Amino acid sequence: MIDTPARKSDIVPDTQHRGIVAALPQRLRDYALLARFDRPIGWWLLFWPCAWGVLLSGGQARWDLIAWLLLGAIAMRGAGCVYNDLVDADLDRQVTRTASRPVASGRVSKRAAWIWLLALCLIGLVVLLQLRWEAQIVALASIAPVAAYPFMKRITWWPQAWLGLVFSWGALVGWSELRLDRLEVLALLYAGSIAWVIGYDTIYALQDREDDALVGIRSSARALGGKVRGGVAGFYGSAIVCWAAAFWLLRPDLIASLALLPMAAHLIWQVATLMPGDNDNALARFRSNRTAGLLMALACWVVGNA
């Protein structure tokens, strides 16, 4: 077979940076696709709660820590995707959007995928060693929920809630690296992040509702049915309430709390313009949460360091 820049089967609607991935030789490209390096939105969403924890705890000068956590998010999101594809290979073959994934399609063997997973975890280990021991323990505690996540879609209609626990964990790590007090503030930051994740991943799951129904995969998008917009609004609203309470407990200053308004406005825009029956619209709203994460990071910087 002639090696073209990118096979049509490599390109799915949520692929980004096609030029970078397409420039790789086919074998390396498959490993990049397996770790979702063509979809940077995933590691941005994993990274932002890490940055929130650092910035809200007063770590405005710890750009070294933020950089390490970004590297860790890229590596561990990749590792999580490889693990997910190993677990879900049989299901992925039955869903149009995922059938061409490297393991599901057979382009990468399961043995090679496990080796790639180990390599990514070693990068994560390097990042882990940069943290103090308390933060290391918090980070390691995430292994069990991460390992359980791929199975949630088989046993619950709300796998997005479990993803919220996992993708928000970085807030706990970032905070515990700098301080171990004011845990009520951290709890509210974490709870708000979980609600945010459930909201945006429900939007993402809209793309797969028909295929998921055919193969029996459960999701919040299917559970909510025709009430998806209202459900997303509820989760986003809960996130804002939790974050506003966290900000107020840490710094009872109305002016500082106004820093949350841009994030709130962005989430309102997502809900107001969401079209549940339009996959392109849902994907665009999902991707916009990279901007939402930045807006929340700026709010945490203002409140944590004012």
Side-chain angles (χ1 to χ4, degrees), residues 157-158 202 206 209 219-231 276:
W157 282 97
W158 293 90
T202 296
L206 287 171
R209 281 197 295 186
S219 73
S220 56
R222 290 188 61 205
L224 289 167
K227 300 178 180 178
V228 167
R229 182 183 285 112

Side-chain angles (χ1 to χ4, degrees), residues 186-302:
L186 175 58
L188 286 165
L189 177 67
Y190 183 59
S193 182
I194 292 172
W196 175 60
V197 174
I198 296 173
Y200 73 59
D201 203 53
T202 296
I203 294 175
Y204 186 76
L206 287 171
Q207 302 172 89
D208 294 329
R209 281 197 295 186
E210 292 183 5
D211 284 340
D212 286 351
L214 290 174
V215 300
I217 295 176
R218 301 174 182 182
S219 73
S220 56
R222 290 188 61 205
L224 289 167
K227 300 178 180 178
V228 167
R229 182 183 285 112
V232 172
F235 288 118
Y236 280 172
S238 298
I240 293 299
V241 169
C242 288
W243 291 333
F247 285 5
W248 187 260
L249 285 176
L250 184 64
R251 189 177 300 280
D253 183 322
L254 182 59
I255 300 300
S257 296
L258 292 177
L260 190 57
L261 286 180
M263 175 59 155
H266 182 88
L267 297 183
I268 290 171
W269 168 81
Q270 283 190 41
V271 174
T273 61
L274 177 64
M275 300 171 61
D278 185 332
N279 287 354
D280 290 338
N281 173 276
L283 181 59
R285 300 305 172 274
F286 166 75
R287 281 181 178 164
S288 74
N289 281 284
R290 178 173 58 182
T291 301
L294 173 60
L295 294 174
M296 180 61 181
L298 293 173
C300 289
W301 177 76
V302 169

Side-chain angles (χ1 to χ4, degrees), residues 45-84:
L45 295 176
L46 184 61
F47 162 71
W48 282 126
C50 302
W52 301 347
V54 173
L55 294 172
L56 191 61
S57 65
Q60 77 274 19
R62 291 299 308 275
W63 295 107
D64 59 325
L65 173 60
I66 291 176
W68 278 114
L69 292 173
L70 176 59
L71 175 61
I74 295 171
M76 297 315 297
R77 187 265 183 155
C81 289
V82 176
Y83 174 70
N84 186 82

Side-chain angles (χ1 to χ4, degrees), residues 132-152:
R132 64 176 182 172
W133 70 268
E134 294 92 342
Q136 290 177 356
I137 292 174
V138 172
L140 290 172
S142 69
I143 293 176
V146 168
Y149 169 68
F151 301 98
M152 291 300 111

